[in-house]
């Protein structure tokens, strides 16, 4: 019987051809990946240096955690007409302020017979503070138990009993509105304390994740609300004789704790540009969730590690400011 045998030359070249094909396949995958990165980088008009940095330093082990909050079964509320408020506090290294905040806001809301839970979203990574991303994380966690949220600064304490924290059925309600907030008084300001229901926050896809450092994330969120045809409601200033000096207590000490207002390279220009990041792109890791009592008033401390895509928002890390 005649055996089918390859000649010596074919046998010698077979493993070489196989290795060459594997090599070409790996190169093709790499260049496709590189092309997609470069395309996104050019669309975002980022600095090429940081594109290369981000390409090799981004941590892709993070997962996007976005539960389906549109279904009634996604949270633990009963079918009654009652609502529950999530007081979401973006937080880092302000425990002296937190010691005052938790008892104060608890007593204030109890006098109004509002059902609530306080979520302190504590950023534990080494990146610059990202208030908007922490609020996104707080929303995703808290809406399993609550159906509306107060985006609440830890250093702003309500004093006037007329301030309303009830369910905002007519649209987001800006508690610390211009004319009442102790520092800011421009017409599009929605920072400090904003109350919003679950449906409206989902319609805007939450807040942008590109704001590292202090400021501007609220202004961008105002634009998102306008584009979603959602009108912000405000208190009637005629009902407040306390004005902007005695309606709130601003518990922030600027001399003790400086705000990170630094801007470098293209941060100012790019952070103001419209982007589509938000609830459906937030990437983070929960380290732990612990319940804590302060003067017998409870809050949940959520330790969160945020993800920074350095080829996109290289300003998340101040190590690059010298470039």
């Amino acid at each position: 019987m005649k055996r089918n045998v390859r000649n010596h030359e074919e046998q010698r070249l077979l493993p070489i051809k196989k290795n060459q094909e594997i090599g070409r396949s790996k190169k093709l995958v790499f260049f496709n990946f590189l092309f997609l990165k470069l395309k996104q980088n050019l669309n975002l008009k980022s600095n090429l240096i940081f594109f290369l940095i981000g390409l090799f330093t981004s941590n892709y082990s993070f997962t996007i955690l976005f539960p389906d909050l549109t279904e009634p079964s996604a949270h633990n509320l009963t079918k009654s007409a009652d609502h529950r408020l999530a007081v979401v506090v973006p937080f880092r290294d302000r425990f002296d302020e937190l010691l005052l905040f938790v008892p104060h806001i608890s007593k204030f809301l109890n006098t109004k017979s509002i059902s609530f839970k306080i979520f302190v979203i504590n950023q534990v990574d080494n990146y610059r503070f990202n208030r908007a991303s922490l609020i996104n994380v707080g929303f995703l966690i808290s809406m399993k138990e609550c159906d509306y949220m107060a985006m609440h600064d830890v250093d702003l304490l309500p004093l006037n009993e007329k301030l309303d924290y009830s369910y905002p059925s007519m649209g987001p309600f800006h508690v610390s509105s211009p004319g009442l907030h102790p520092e800011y008084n421009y017409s599009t300001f929605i920072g400090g304390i904003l109350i919003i229901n679950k449906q409206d926050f989902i319609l805007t896809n939450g807040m942008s994740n590109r704001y590292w450092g202090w400021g501007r994330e609220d202004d961008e969120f105002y634009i998102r609300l306008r584009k979603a045809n959602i009108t912000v409601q405000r208190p009637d200033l005629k009902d407040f004789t306390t004005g902007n000096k005695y309606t709130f207590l601003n518990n922030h000490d600027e001399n003790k704790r400086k705000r990170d207002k630094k801007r470098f390279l293209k941060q100012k220009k790019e952070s103001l540009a419209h982007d589509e990041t938000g609830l459906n792109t937030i990437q983070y890791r929960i380290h732990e969730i612990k319940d804590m009592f302060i003067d017998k008033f409870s809050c949940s401390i959520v330790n969160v590690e945020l993800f920074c895509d350095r080829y996109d928002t290289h300003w998340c890390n101040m190590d690059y400011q010298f470039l």
Side-chain angles (χ1 to χ4, degrees):
M1 187 170 80
K2 191 173 181 180
R3 300 173 62 184
N4 227 347
V5 181
R6 296 175 182 267
N7 61 42
H8 179 71
E9 186 65 20
E10 287 177 334
Q11 292 178 357
R12 187 179 66 82
L13 292 177
L14 184 60
I16 297 177
K17 290 181 178 179
K18 187 175 182 180
N19 290 336
Q20 287 176 343
E21 290 176 358
I22 294 174
R24 282 195 296 268
S25 178
K26 288 182 177 180
K27 288 180 180 179
L28 183 61
V29 171
F30 173 77
F31 282 113
N32 283 338
F33 170 75
L34 188 64
F35 174 75
L36 291 175
K37 285 279 190 176
L38 182 58
K39 182 179 179 181
Q40 184 176 4
N41 176 72
L42 292 175
N43 288 338
L44 293 171
K45 299 179 181 179
S46 298
N47 190 300
L48 182 58
I49 294 176
F50 296 100
F51 159 65
L52 296 174
I53 292 174
L55 179 64
F56 297 106
T57 62
S58 293
N59 183 355
Y60 294 101
S61 65
F62 282 71
T63 55
I64 297 177
L65 304 176
F66 186 43
D68 185 1
L69 298 175
T70 61
E71 296 295 330
S73 60
H75 56 79
N76 299 324
L77 288 174
T78 63
K79 294 183 179 180
S80 68
D82 295 333
H83 299 285
R84 193 180 192 199
L85 170 66
V87 181
V88 173
V89 184
F91 183 83
R92 174 187 269 173
D93 299 334
R94 292 191 176 190
F95 287 100
D96 52 339
E97 296 175 3
L98 187 66
L99 292 176
L100 182 61
F101 175 82
V102 171
H104 181 93
I105 194 64
S106 298
K107 293 175 184 177
F108 186 86
L109 295 176
N110 282 335
T111 61
K112 293 179 168 294
S113 300
I114 290 178
S115 176
F116 69 95
K117 182 175 180 178
I118 301 172
F119 296 85
V120 180
I121 314 302
N122 182 34
Q123 185 175 339
V124 297
D125 53 72
N126 293 322
Y127 296 123
R128 301 170 71 190
F129 188 65
N130 192 323
R131 179 177 179 270
S133 287
L134 294 177
I135 290 174
N136 285 340
V137 174
F139 176 83
L140 293 174
I141 293 172
S142 66
M143 289 303 105
K144 299 173 184 178
E145 304 177 50
C146 306
D147 64 338
Y148 74 115
M149 170 178 68
M151 301 154 51
H152 213 302
D153 287 351
V154 71
D155 56 7
L156 194 61
L157 307 178
L159 300 178
N160 194 311
E161 62 180 10
K162 293 182 180 179
L163 292 170
D164 190 4
Y165 280 72
S166 61
Y167 183 81
S169 57
M170 302 299 292
F173 186 77
H174 190 207
V175 179
S176 55
S177 68
L180 298 180
H181 193 281
E183 286 190 56
Y184 304 105
N185 191 29
Y186 57 94
S187 61
T188 59
F189 172 67
I190 57 171
I193 308 167
L194 180 70
I195 296 179
I196 187 168
N197 64 45
K198 180 177 67 174
Q199 292 76 17
D200 286 344
F201 200 73
I202 291 175
L203 279 176
T204 65
N205 191 26
M207 303 183 75
S208 170
N209 297 314
R210 305 186 76 231
Y211 286 78
W212 302 89
W214 183 86
R216 298 184 183 274
E217 75 284 341
D218 291 317
D219 296 331
E220 198 275 346
F221 187 59
Y222 180 81
I223 296 174
R224 291 187 178 214
L225 290 170
R226 290 289 299 272
K227 289 185 176 181
N229 294 319
I230 299 173
T231 302
V232 176
Q233 309 296 320
R234 302 185 189 273
D236 188 347
L237 298 183
K238 296 178 182 179
D239 296 335
F240 292 85
T241 59
T242 49
N244 64 349
K245 291 185 178 180
Y246 305 109
T247 303
F248 297 95
L249 171 63
N250 186 359
N251 192 36
H252 179 74
D253 187 347
E254 182 68 23
N255 295 323
K256 181 179 179 181
R257 190 174 287 106
K258 298 289 184 182
R259 286 169 172 152
D260 178 9
K261 298 181 181 181
K262 295 179 181 178
R263 301 289 187 270
F264 59 98
L265 291 178
K266 296 184 178 181
Q267 179 181 3
K268 183 176 181 180
K269 179 181 178 181
E270 291 193 16
S271 63
L272 286 175
H274 172 70
D275 70 89
E276 296 181 356
T277 66
L279 286 176
N280 63 349
T281 63
I282 179 69
Q283 298 185 57
Y284 62 97
R285 180 183 292 125
I286 301 295
H287 282 218
E288 60 180 345
I289 300 177
K290 288 188 175 182
D291 290 333
M292 183 173 73
F293 288 86
I294 302 176
D295 292 344
K296 298 181 180 180
F297 296 101
S298 67
C299 65
S300 287
I301 308 294
V302 183
N303 290 333
V304 178
E305 180 182 0
L306 297 178
F307 167 80
C308 172
D309 196 345
R310 297 186 186 181
Y311 82 91
D312 179 14
T313 55
H314 46 264
W315 51 85
C316 66
N317 192 331
M318 292 300 290
D319 292 343
Y320 299 149
Q321 63 178 310
F322 61 89
L323 292 176

